[in-house]
């Protein structure tokens, strides 16, 4: 068998979890005829943002456990047997008390990820694969040279280096708009050490999902303490924080769902529509994937066998009816009462090892939306954003039990409340400090509440084309804004008439909706404005591909995306040479 003799130079930009999975894929490829260079802004590899001090303090925990995490070099359970003793002591973890079903401190998980990088590097060395790691080396620009088939990576420290392939794994980014200019206004809760504040007044938080819960956990510990007494979990304020409290705001006034036992710890993703089925559907549906088709096949079709009773309830519902039904049943209850009920239900689910199946399947649907999203019509994308995403955002962000207990104790102490602010609320930063929250309450009365301290906790924003960090690629058109065609010209025209600035008419008369981020294909290759994919440049950084990849699923995304990238990259490297069918990775 023949394969290329020329070693390919591959750059991984960002050594967080995505970079780690990519490195694993490259070093496990059957013909790893590569020289790999990893550029990392920070002084260490593996932990990325959420699992390093950039995204976590000691009180922050993962929402997945060992059994849900794809094995990288070895499982966490295995690694605990060889981990440095001081790391285990710091997080109070040992081989006896380790439980593969339990969530972990995020900083501990970061230590594991860093160790996995090292283990992979040692193995790569033994295999003769050269790896260069540049720490404390942010990439400042990327330039493509199609005529040479190469890409330049530019850093301040090393100047320009030339590569055959580049995989952008630069991950999370929370742009700062007001923070630093307006006192006590925070554009995000990260890094969370900045929230170690002694506060004597109510804090306003925008959002109620896991990002908001991160902020709540830090603030609560700085201004009081949790304790167990008579079988109850209680919170006491510190004497100098007597005015402290937290007011969360969300559109529908709901808290996220509680973590329960998953029947399939990898969320049954194999049971969803295959790429072939999607391609067949597209061919029969005017070049689009229908959102209703995905809802029927990746959601409703999962129930007849596993939960016939639930299927009986939803079998005649369309997407809108289903979402309305679920949301209405949640909105009728006080959010903390519902949270307590769901906590008890989740405890039962964990004890009996029985899933709450519809929530599990909704998480599957959310993940499974990523692949077909780029084939939706603009009309269906608007439905996805408006109808399905609000439900998905409250149901698939599973809150770990210890975070639930914090929230319930704070609420019982009268220090945590939730306000439903509807769709037309806004936040006005106040130059003297904090912000005003302006919204219409459930009785229809306009409200304006000032918070001396305000934290925007809506989670990783989908960033726009203009936010893309490597300017040469935007300036020369190597990357292009993500667009979706309208199926109906009349709908596109009406959207423009109604003032929707994201809708434009293309030169050929068709109407297009601009969605967040840049255009990618199924292999995560960047695509230019003429629709041509670039087989040298890949991107896995979720904030910049949110339009075509709406679900930020975390570690499972890193695994799935890195597989798509390696398959495409190996095809590209060995184009024209005969490879065994199993030889891609
Ligand atoms: C607060 C938080 C908690 C989360 N918790 C979970 C969880 O419990 N379970 C789960 O499955 N998922 C979780 N996620 C999802 C999470 O997004 C992914 O698991 C993961 O962080 C994605 O990894 P990444 O490498 O793409 O991005 P990142 O983690 O952001 O890593 C990117 C890396 O690139 C580096 N970098 C950035 N710019 C440059 C540059 N210009 N040059 C060089 N290097 C650069 C950064 O320093 C960083 O190391 C969480 C996300 C957040 C934000």
């Amino acid at each position: 068998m023949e394969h290329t003799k020329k070693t390919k130079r591959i750059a991984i930009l960002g050594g967080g979890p995505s970079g780690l999975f990519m490195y694993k894929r490259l070093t496990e490829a059957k013909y790893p005829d590569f020289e790999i260079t990893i550029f990392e802004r920070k002084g260490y590899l593996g932990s990325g943002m959420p699992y390093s001090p950039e995204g976590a303090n000691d009180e922050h925990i993962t929402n997945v456990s060992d059994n849900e995490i794809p094995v990288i070099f070895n499982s966490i359970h295995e690694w605990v047997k060889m981990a440095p003793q001081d790391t285990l002591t710091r997080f109070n973890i040992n081989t006896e008390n380790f439980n593969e079903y339990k969530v972990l401190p995020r900083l501990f998980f970061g230590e594991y990820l860093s160790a996995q990088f090292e283990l992979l590097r040692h193995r790569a060395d033994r295999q003769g694969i050269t790896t260069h790691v540049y720490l404390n080396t942010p990439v400042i620009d990327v330039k493509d040279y199609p005529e040479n088939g190469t890409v330049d990576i530019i850093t301040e420290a090393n100047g320009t280096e030339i590569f055959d392939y580049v995989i952008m794994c630069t991950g999370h980014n929370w742009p700062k708009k007001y923070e630093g200019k307006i006192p006590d206004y925070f554009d995000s809760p990260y890094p969370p050490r900045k929230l170690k504040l002694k506060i004597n007044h109510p804090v306003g938080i925008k959002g109620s999902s896991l990002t908001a819960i991160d902020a709540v956990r830090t603030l609560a510990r700085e201004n009081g303490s949790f304790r167990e007494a008579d079988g109850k979990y209680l919170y006491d304020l510190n004497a100098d924080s007597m005015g402290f409290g937290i007011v969360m705001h969300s559109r529908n006034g709901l808290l996220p769902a509680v973590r329960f036992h998953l029947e399939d710890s990898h969320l049954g993703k194999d049971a969803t529509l295959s790429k072939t089925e999607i391609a067949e559907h597209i061919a029969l549906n005017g070049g689009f994937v229908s959102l209703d088709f995905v809802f029927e096949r990746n959601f409703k079709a999962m129930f007849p066998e596993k939960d016939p009773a639930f299927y009986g309830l939803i079998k005649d519902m369309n997407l809108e009816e289903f979402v309305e039904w679920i949301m209405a049943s949640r909105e009728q209850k006080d959010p903390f009462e519902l949270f307590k009920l769901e906590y008890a239900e989740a405890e039962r689910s964990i004890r009996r090892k029985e899933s709450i199946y519809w929530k599990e399947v909704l998480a599957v649907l959310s993940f499974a939306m990523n692949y077909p999203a780029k084939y939706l019509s603009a009309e269906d994308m608007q439905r996805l954003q408006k109808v399905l995403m609000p439900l998905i955002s409250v149901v698939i962000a599973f809150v770990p039990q210890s975070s639930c207990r914090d929230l319930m104790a704070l609420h019982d102490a009268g220090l945590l409340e939730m306000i439903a602010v509807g769709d037309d609320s806004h936040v006005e930063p106040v130059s003297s400090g904090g912000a005003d929250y302006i919204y219409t309450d459930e009785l229809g009365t306009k409200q304006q509440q000032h918070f001396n301290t305000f934290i925007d906790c809506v989670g990783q924003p989908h960033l726009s084309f203009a936010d893309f960090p490597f300017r040469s690629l935007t300036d020369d058109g190597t990357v292009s804004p993500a667009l979706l065609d309208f199926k109906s010209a009349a709908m596109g025209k009406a959207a423009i008439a109604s003032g929707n600035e994201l809708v434009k008419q293309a030169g050929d008369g068709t109407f297009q909706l601009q969605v967040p981020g840049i255009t990618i294909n199924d292999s995560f290759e960047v695509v230019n404005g003429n629709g041509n994919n670039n087989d040298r440049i890949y991107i896995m950084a979720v904030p910049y591909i949110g339009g075509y990849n709406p679900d930020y699923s975390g570690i499972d995304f890193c695994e799935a995306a890195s597989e798509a990238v390696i398959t495409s990259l190996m095809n590209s490297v060995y184009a024209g040479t005969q490879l065994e069918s199993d030889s891609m990775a």
Side-chain angles (χ1 to χ4, degrees):
M1 173 169 357
E2 278 194 23
H3 62 93
T4 175
K5 290 282 178 279
K6 186 177 173 292
T7 299
K8 297 291 180 192
R9 295 199 66 200
I10 300 182
I12 299 177
L13 315 189
S18 295
L20 170 63
F21 272 86
M22 210 51 248
Y23 184 61
K24 170 187 156 78
R25 299 281 186 192
L26 287 167
T27 54
E28 287 178 354
K30 195 153 190 179
Y31 303 115
D33 207 355
F34 310 133
E35 188 177 322
I36 304 166
T37 304
I38 301 163
F39 294 87
E40 170 52 50
R41 172 171 53 82
K42 291 189 295 216
Y44 43 87
L45 295 178
S47 50
M49 180 263 164
Y51 315 109
S52 73
E54 287 189 347
N57 293 336
D58 281 357
E59 66 273 14
H60 295 127
I61 46 182
T62 60
N63 65 353
V64 290
S65 50
D66 187 23
N67 67 318
E68 294 162 35
I69 295 165
V71 172
I72 304 168
F73 181 89
N74 54 9
S75 70
I76 307 176
H77 196 183
E78 283 299 314
W79 179 70
V80 164
K81 294 177 195 156
M82 58 192 281
Q85 191 52 49
D86 55 344
T87 305
L88 298 175
T89 309
R90 176 174 168 209
F91 295 100
N92 187 26
I93 289 175
N94 56 52
T95 39
E96 276 77 53
N97 71 7
F98 184 80
N99 179 339
E100 61 166 336
Y101 289 94
K102 279 216 164 130
V103 296
L104 297 158
R106 286 220 295 270
L107 293 175
F108 174 78
F109 186 55
E111 297 280 342
Y112 161 76
L113 294 174
S114 293
Q116 297 294 293
F117 235 127
E118 279 312 298
L119 290 163
L120 289 177
R121 274 178 74 184
H122 287 306
R123 190 175 67 188
D125 282 352
R126 287 197 299 276
Q127 289 170 303
I129 303 170
T130 305
T131 308
H132 307 282
V133 177
Y134 297 132
L135 298 177
N136 302 307
T137 310
V139 172
I140 50 178
D141 204 4
V142 177
K143 279 189 189 164
D144 187 37
Y145 290 92
E147 60 283 14
N148 305 336
T150 59
V151 186
D152 281 2
I153 298 301
I154 298 134
T155 61
E156 250 171 41
N158 305 351
T160 298
E161 289 191 63
I162 303 171
F163 292 89
D164 299 302
Y165 296 94
V166 170
I167 307 149
M168 298 188 267
C169 299
T170 48
H172 292 286
N173 181 9
W174 272 265
K176 281 194 184 151
K177 205 165 167 197
Y178 299 110
E179 192 173 323
K181 297 180 196 144
I182 303 263
D184 301 317
Y185 184 107
F186 299 95
D187 285 308
S188 82
Y190 304 118
R193 62 176 172 272
K194 75 186 176 194
L195 299 185
K196 289 190 171 229
L197 303 168
K198 301 273 180 231
I199 294 182
N200 211 355
H201 52 255
V203 177
I205 284 187
K206 181 178 179 187
S208 64
S209 198
L210 297 182
T211 306
I213 294 172
D214 274 358
V216 169
R217 292 195 81 159
T218 302
L219 290 167
R221 280 164 179 75
E222 284 307 299
N223 293 284
S225 52
F226 293 94
R227 70 185 158 95
E228 302 259 4
D230 303 329
K232 288 193 176 143
Y233 187 66
L234 304 166
Y235 181 76
D236 302 312
L237 271 182
N238 291 341
D240 53 355
S241 295
M242 280 303 161
F244 171 75
I246 298 174
V247 185
M248 284 173 151
H249 302 77
S250 78
R251 270 195 307 196
N252 43 30
L254 291 174
L255 286 163
V258 179
R259 190 181 145 82
F260 54 90
H261 175 81
L262 293 174
E263 177 177 296
D264 180 343
S265 57
H266 296 277
L267 286 174
K269 288 165 187 154
D270 298 340
T272 54
L273 284 164
S274 68
K275 289 184 183 172
T276 313
E277 286 171 310
I278 291 173
E280 283 166 7
H281 165 76
I282 291 174
L284 296 172
N285 192 47
F288 296 102
V289 165
S290 145
L291 183 60
D292 294 321
F293 173 73
V294 180
F295 178 64
E296 288 294 326
R297 295 288 301 277
N298 281 350
F299 186 72
K300 282 167 76 175
M302 305 280 187
F303 291 98
E305 197 189 318
K306 292 281 178 68
D307 191 346
F310 190 80
Y311 184 67
L313 295 171
I314 64 159
K315 70 178 188 332
D316 297 324
M317 291 183 190
N318 64 23
L319 176 70
E320 278 75 5
E321 287 162 344
F322 171 74
V323 172
E324 204 184 316
W325 176 61
I326 293 282
M327 284 305 227
S329 68
R330 298 178 81 78
E331 283 164 1
Q332 277 156 12
K333 299 192 180 83
D334 171 84
F336 287 94
E337 286 309 313
L338 176 66
F339 199 60
K340 281 182 184 167
L341 290 173
E342 293 208 324
Y343 181 79
E345 182 190 38
E347 288 279 275
R348 276 196 303 280
S349 152
I350 291 167
R351 204 171 47 245
R352 296 179 188 164
K353 292 205 161 65
E354 279 171 15
S355 173
I356 304 169
Y357 195 62
W358 72 269
K359 289 183 187 170
E360 182 162 338
V361 179
L362 201 57
V364 174
L365 173 67
S366 174
F367 188 84
M369 277 317 306
N370 276 338
Y371 176 78
K374 61 180 95 59
Y375 300 110
L376 292 176
S377 65
E379 291 93 329
D380 268 352
M381 175 54 85
Q382 287 173 322
R383 287 174 67 210
L384 176 73
Q385 290 169 344
K386 196 162 175 269
V387 181
L388 191 57
M389 278 312 184
L391 171 64
I392 281 181
S393 69
V394 289
V395 172
I396 67 150
F398 302 138
V399 188
Q401 271 57 31
S402 66
S403 298
C404 297
R405 279 153 47 87
D406 281 8
L407 295 186
M408 291 188 292
L410 283 163
H411 179 67
D412 289 346
L415 299 171
L416 177 64
E417 61 175 303
M418 163 73 81
I419 294 184
V421 291
D423 288 327
D424 63 349
S425 67
H426 67 282
V427 173
E428 270 177 23
V430 174
S431 57
S432 56
D436 284 351
Y437 221 119
I438 298 151
Y439 62 95
T440 307
D441 70 17
E442 279 153 321
L443 300 173
T445 312
K446 205 120 192 122
Q447 300 285 351
Q448 176 156 358
Q449 194 176 359
H450 178 72
F451 293 98
N452 290 343
T453 303
F454 173 81
I455 311 165
D456 190 332
C457 294
V458 290
Q460 172 63 64
H462 288 215
L463 298 175
S464 70
F465 179 72
D467 295 314
F468 191 76
F470 304 122
R471 298 313 304 175
S472 292
L473 297 181
T474 47
D475 292 350
D476 70 8
T478 303
V479 298
S480 61
L483 302 170
L484 292 174
D485 288 338
F486 275 85
K487 207 170 179 179
S488 142
M491 293 291 282
K493 215 180 235 172
I496 292 182
S498 72
N500 188 337
E501 290 178 0
L502 295 173
V503 181
K504 301 263 176 318
Q505 189 165 15
D508 64 0
T510 56
F511 290 86
Q512 295 174 320
L513 171 73
Q514 183 168 343
V515 292
I518 64 167
T519 313
I520 52 167
N521 69 4
D522 291 343
S523 306
F524 295 87
E525 292 170 341
V526 302
V527 176
N528 69 16
N530 297 324
N532 300 321
N533 59 302
N534 183 318
D535 64 4
R536 293 169 294 286
I537 305 179
Y538 296 86
I539 179 160
M540 290 171 61
V542 283
Y544 305 103
I545 54 175
Y548 276 12
N549 194 82
D551 177 283
Y552 295 169
S553 317
I555 294 294
D556 43 1
F557 166 77
C558 299
E559 188 197 27
S562 61
E563 185 180 14
V565 172
I566 192 73
T567 306
S568 157
L569 195 143
M570 294 300 283
N571 274 327
S572 167
V573 170
Y574 296 110
T577 52
Q578 184 93 37
L579 290 176
E580 290 167 358
S581 60
D582 67 343
S583 63
M584 296 306 180

